[in-house]
Amino acid sequence: MPIKNIWITYSQEILENQEKSYYKTRSELKGKTLTMIEEALQEAGWEVNKISVDLPLPQLTEFFSQKIDLIFNLTICVSGIYNQAFLPLLLDANNIPYLGSNSVVHSLCLDRSLSKLCLRGIGIPTPSYFIWSSKEEIPENLDFPLIIKPRFRSHQEIISAQSVVSNQEELERELQRVFSETRDEVIAEKFLTGREMMIGIWGNGKSASPLPIMEVNVSRQVLLWDFQTKNDKGYVEDVLCPAPLSEEQKNQIEKMALKIFQELHMRDYATFKLIFSEKEEIPFFFELNSLPSLYYRHSAFPEMCNASGIDYKTMVQKLARIAEERVARKL
């Protein structure tokens, strides 16, 4: 059966809060993302509706009991460490097809510990690390500097410049701080120097393909990973896309990203962060994002598409068709 109607799902609360932050000096762009996604889908011939998921669970469950052909999912829920996995789980329970990976993949990508285990399991280099909680001893003879992160990416906002530690005293202080704020295990990861990059993948299975690789914060000499200070223009400025890489380096990164996408059975689209190490001269992957944001003139994924000559509305239409084809093939 061809897909005739598409519902766009999002959180109004999170959308408004993020746009307030992202478009501080570009107020004309507030609301633009949702409007352009709706227009793009309508122009491609689909019947389009929108729903904010900021509803009581019984109401949401009742809503999804109706016949829906496809969900264009933009949803990060307002609470919980598995904030982007909740809606896919609900949609799976109601047998409703949707854009993006399933709830298991989302949960895995939100958990830095599981992500790293998976990367190592399929032979992808990732920075060395240890996991710590308040009842455990801190390992000895550590190779500083380290960066201290919460185990779950939903606590991303607590990472700051002080998260990079250079000695035992700083390490103990930061481990305690992150644990006290999250009440969960903490990741202490080797802080590597090199070029910070992102790569996007879209498609499914063997037909998945890479987008141009983006180099982030090209004006800096020292990598600041997760806590870099971005201006309100997001990935529109201070990046190079495509990144200046040799053909060998480009192929190496693309091959690894495709392997992650395919081995983890990710669907439709994803982005990956990596550091191209100055010392080892190889890419170390450290962040998997199974639900890349699509904020117009801000997010990395649309900018990667733009670098390959694909404008925003064409990107939206292609994402919907990628999901539509997967659903039709029952992948």
Side-chain angles (χ1 to χ4, degrees), residues 4 31 46 64 73 123 165 245 256:
K4 295 181 179 179
W46 287 293
F64 286 129
N73 180 35
V165 297
L245 294 163
M256 287 185 182

Side-chain angles (χ1 to χ4, degrees), residues 115-183:
S115 295
K116 284 179 168 293
L117 287 173
C118 287
L119 289 174
R120 291 188 170 193
I122 61 175
I124 302 295
T126 188
S128 60
Y129 72 103
F130 69 88
I131 301 176
W132 180 86
S133 68
S134 62
K135 297 179 181 180
E136 298 176 5
E137 296 292 326
I138 298 174
E140 298 180 351
N141 302 317
L142 294 168
D143 184 16
F144 291 99
L146 302 171
I147 180 168
I148 312 306
K149 305 177 180 180
R151 174 173 175 172
F152 293 97
R153 285 177 47 222
S154 50
H155 296 302
Q156 191 83 350
E157 72 283 351
I158 73 171
I159 299 176
S160 67
Q162 65 181 337
S163 299
V164 176
V165 297
S166 301
N167 56 55
Q168 195 74 16
E169 182 181 350
E170 291 177 356
L171 171 63
E172 292 176 8
R173 177 209 69 207
E174 197 60 15
L175 288 173
Q176 291 290 349
R177 181 186 74 84
V178 174
F179 181 82
S180 66
E181 292 191 34
T182 64
R183 308 310 299 175

Side-chain angles (χ1 to χ4, degrees), residues 232-249:
D232 63 348
K233 294 189 178 178
Y235 289 99
V236 178
E237 292 187 353
D238 203 20
V239 300
L240 283 178
C241 191
L245 294 163
S246 69
E247 196 63 26
E248 182 181 356
Q249 292 170 331

Side-chain angles (χ1 to χ4, degrees), residues 26-179:
R26 299 179 294 165
S27 58
E28 73 280 2
L29 295 180
K30 290 180 181 177
K32 191 78 171 174
T33 297
L34 204 55
T35 298
M36 291 193 71
I37 291 174
E38 183 176 16
E39 289 175 355
L41 296 174
Q42 288 172 338
E43 289 169 11
W46 287 293
E47 178 187 329
V48 183
N49 296 282
K50 305 188 298 289
I51 181 172
S52 172
V53 300
D54 301 333
L55 298 169
L57 183 57
Q59 261 183 270
L60 204 54
T61 304
E62 182 180 355
F63 172 80
F64 286 129
S65 65
Q66 66 177 303
K67 173 70 172 107
I68 297 173
D69 289 345
L70 181 69
I71 295 286
F72 196 100
N73 180 35
L74 305 173
T75 308
I76 297 176
C77 296
V78 294
S79 62
I81 55 176
Y82 296 111
N83 52 18
Q84 70 190 43
F86 170 74
L87 188 67
L89 185 62
L90 187 60
L91 295 174
D92 284 338
N94 286 277
N95 199 29
I96 298 173
Y98 54 92
L99 173 70
S101 294
N102 65 33
S103 59
V104 174
V105 173
H106 285 311
S107 299
L108 184 154
C109 292
L110 289 166
D111 186 331
R112 290 188 170 98
S113 176
L114 292 183
S115 295
K116 284 179 168 293
L117 287 173
C118 287
L119 289 174
R120 291 188 170 193
I122 61 175
I124 302 295
T126 188
S128 60
Y129 72 103
F130 69 88
I131 301 176
W132 180 86
S133 68
S134 62
K135 297 179 181 180
E136 298 176 5
E137 296 292 326
I138 298 174
E140 298 180 351
N141 302 317
L142 294 168
D143 184 16
F144 291 99
L146 302 171
I147 180 168
I148 312 306
K149 305 177 180 180
R151 174 173 175 172
F152 293 97
R153 285 177 47 222
S154 50
H155 296 302
Q156 191 83 350
E157 72 283 351
I158 73 171
I159 299 176
S160 67
Q162 65 181 337
S163 299
V164 176
V165 297
S166 301
N167 56 55
Q168 195 74 16
E169 182 181 350
E170 291 177 356
L171 171 63
E172 292 176 8
R173 177 209 69 207
E174 197 60 15
L175 288 173
Q176 291 290 349
R177 181 186 74 84
V178 174
F179 181 82

